[in-house]
Amino acid sequence: MAAPQTAEFRLDTLPESPFPRLNALIEGIQPGKPPLIMSLGEPQHPFPDFITKTIVENAKDFGKYPPIIGTPDFRAAVAGWLGRRYDLKDVIGAGRALDPETQILPVNGTREALFNAALVATPVTKAGTRPAILMPNPFYQCYAAAALAAGAEPIYVAATRDNGFMPEFDKLPDTLLARTAMIYVCSPANPQGSVASLDYLKNLLRLARQHNILLAVDECYADIYDREKPAGALQAAIDLDGTLDNLIVFHSLSKRSSLPGLRSGFCAGDKKFMSRFRAFRNIAAPQVPLPLMAASAAAWNEDEHAAENRALYRRKIDMAERIFGNRLGFYRPAGGFFLWLDVGDGVAATRDLWAKGGVKVLPGAYLSREDSGATGDLPKGQKGGTNPGTAFIRVALVESEAKTEEALQRMADIL
Ligand SMILES: Cc1ncc(COP(=O)(O)O)c(C=O)c1O
């Protein structure tokens, strides 16, 4: 679908959310079997018992406005987790590369922070013209909304099998990089489950610094991985020159701790940017309620439940491997909990799976756009006007093992 050239409102070119589109696609089609919902990335695993207990114990604090910078306990819990998860203990603390007082902020789910960060990161003009914001294609839809709301041009950079599902931002023309305000990248990636290597992240940060770009790394699936623990962008920055300049990372409890309804995450990074972001957030951003912040601190302080959660996802990936083998381009995602299956025509397969098997999946094309060919701002060799998600469906492995097995088996029988 070509974007209109002129728009009355800034967000007129915003694509519709994939989920109403999916509902419209299958409207009026009776599910062939009792429905199994595999389209939504909403974890159905149990969350730890201590969450409810902590919220109840702190319930009196619902009577207070929460501070935008969070509580010292929350920041300490996040700092502790970052230290353990990324082996960064030595660089966290007052006067060090990551000072929890000034460089960590709680967020009301990472979605709002990913969105709001673009508003703060985008100048009115850059290189004398309209700023651009780069993002992978396919991508988490919030990135495009954020770019448009910030008055920037979203540029969709293909993440395909050929580049290991990691966009090659370094191949973009200098003229585009010069006007780029921000780059979104997601690792482990939704939907493909690809993971950026430490070298990829270092090169990308180098590029961002060279062109005065804010690199925004969405790491909400960081604790859900298959064989190897994914590297993090904070590690890449420390390795590069010991500072977090030009970097912000986003982490969430929605996936790690199966708490999508808690609406709790954090962002951390560049001192100067975090200071501007805090000032903006103090005026306009949603806070995390204090009892929920206490529960979040408890979750970041505890790794056992996250390990159990990861093991459960791994068992479902094993199951998918048993069922699909090397059909439909199946591969074990290195991180996250989605299968990205090559079915030839994702929209047709989605309709078929619903009509014949009652299995609801998401067409890959609903998560991607035609590459930004119109502007000529594409990596060398990349054709414009192609939608890299068209051939795929995304399958979320968030249900119980029994339901997942039933759904995958039905899918294998139909496709
Ligand atoms: C890639 C990606 N980023 C960010 C989010 C937002 O997560 P939350 O707002 O629950 O922290 C999601 C949720 O599905 C996601 O898939």
Side-chain angles (χ1 to χ4, degrees):
M1 195 171 23
Q5 291 307 300
T6 56
E8 186 182 356
F9 295 100
R10 197 171 251 186
L11 294 179
D12 275 356
T13 52
L14 185 64
E16 194 186 358
S17 157
F19 301 104
R21 275 181 89 186
L22 172 60
N23 288 339
L25 176 73
I26 60 172
E27 197 181 320
I29 305 176
Q30 284 307 309
K33 292 192 175 160
L36 289 167
I37 309 303
M38 311 293 280
S39 47
L40 210 58
E42 179 186 64
Q44 303 295 314
H45 296 182
F47 58 79
D49 291 340
F50 61 76
I51 294 295
T52 311
K53 190 167 155 278
T54 311
I55 294 171
V56 170
E57 281 168 6
N58 290 274
K60 63 178 187 325
D61 288 341
F62 279 125
K64 293 181 186 158
Y65 274 120
I68 205 75
I69 61 163
T71 59
D73 280 355
F74 176 86
R75 291 193 301 277
V78 164
W81 177 76
L82 284 173
R84 297 191 302 281
R85 171 64 181 78
Y86 294 112
D87 199 14
L88 291 173
K89 289 192 188 79
D90 293 349
V91 300
I92 299 177
R96 304 204 181 149
L98 177 55
D99 178 357
E101 280 295 299
T102 55
Q103 289 167 274
I104 292 176
L105 284 172
V107 302
N108 203 254
T110 46
R111 185 169 77 166
E112 66 84 357
L114 287 159
F115 179 85
N116 283 313
L119 304 186
V120 177
T122 307
V124 179
T125 59
K126 194 169 176 208
T129 183
R130 183 183 181 195
I133 291 187
L134 316 181
M135 63 199 70
N137 193 23
F139 58 97
Y140 182 55
Q141 299 299 294
C142 170
Y143 309 158
L148 291 168
E153 181 186 4
I155 302 281
Y156 310 112
V157 185
T160 61
R161 213 184 272 122
D162 290 345
N163 53 32
F165 297 118
M166 275 292 151
E168 296 168 284
F169 297 111
D170 56 345
K171 291 195 179 159
L172 293 167
D174 278 351
T175 46
L176 171 59
L177 293 168
R179 69 182 179 99
T180 295
M182 184 164 165
I183 299 175
Y184 285 107
V185 69
C186 185
S187 173
N190 170 6
Q192 312 97 324
S194 43
V195 164
S197 68
L198 200 57
D199 278 348
Y200 178 96
L201 293 167
K202 278 194 227 173
N203 287 336
L204 192 50
L205 187 57
R206 229 182 254 121
L207 188 78
R209 287 177 177 171
Q210 195 183 332
H211 297 276
N212 192 24
I213 295 167
L214 181 70
L215 177 62
V217 188
D218 179 353
E219 298 183 329
C220 69
Y221 296 95
D223 257 351
I224 300 171
Y225 50 86
D226 190 24
R227 312 263 195 235
E228 279 173 39
K229 205 151 78 165
L234 294 177
Q235 285 173 305
I238 295 299
D239 276 12
L240 212 53
D241 75 344
T243 79
L244 305 185
D245 293 355
N246 296 70
L247 174 67
I248 179 170
V249 298
F250 299 84
H251 285 275
S252 175
L253 291 174
S254 300
K255 323 290 177 179
R256 173 186 187 266
S257 303
S258 302
L259 286 165
L262 189 66
R263 308 311 302 132
S264 182
F266 71 86
C267 59
D270 183 295
K271 210 182 220 41
K272 277 197 215 132
F273 180 78
M274 293 305 287
S275 160
R276 292 177 51 231
F277 201 28
R278 184 174 64 241
F280 167 82
R281 295 183 65 78
N282 247 323
I283 298 170
Q287 305 98 319
V288 179
L290 281 165
L292 309 192
M293 199 139 32
S296 306
W300 290 117
N301 276 330
E302 214 275 335
D303 295 331
E304 196 61 36
H305 73 283
E308 283 168 21
N309 199 29
R310 177 162 58 245
L312 180 47
Y313 283 118
R314 213 177 267 146
R315 287 204 295 278
K316 290 188 279 185
I317 304 276
D318 290 344
M319 178 192 289
E321 189 167 34
R322 262 198 321 275
I323 293 173
F324 292 116
N326 50 16
R327 292 180 56 211
L328 305 173
F330 172 86
Y331 60 91
R332 294 183 72 95
F337 49 53
F338 297 107
L339 303 183
W340 185 238
L341 298 177
D342 185 345
V343 292
D345 178 343
V347 167
T350 298
R351 253 199 247 106
D352 246 21
L353 287 168
W354 180 249
K356 295 182 186 156
V359 182
K360 196 171 180 183
V361 300
L362 193 65
Y366 290 9
L367 296 169
S368 47
R369 300 282 167 278
E370 291 191 354
D371 291 328
S372 302
T375 58
D377 287 330
L378 283 176
K380 290 184 196 75
Q382 186 178 314
K383 280 206 309 288
T386 51
N387 183 329
T390 306
F392 294 85
I393 54 172
R394 191 190 78 173
V395 185
L397 301 183
V398 291
E399 274 292 357
S400 66
E401 285 175 277
K403 281 192 188 170
T404 303
E405 181 155 28
E406 172 68 25
L408 297 181
Q409 200 57 64
R410 286 188 205 170
M411 290 174 60
D413 292 345
I414 294 164
L415 291 172

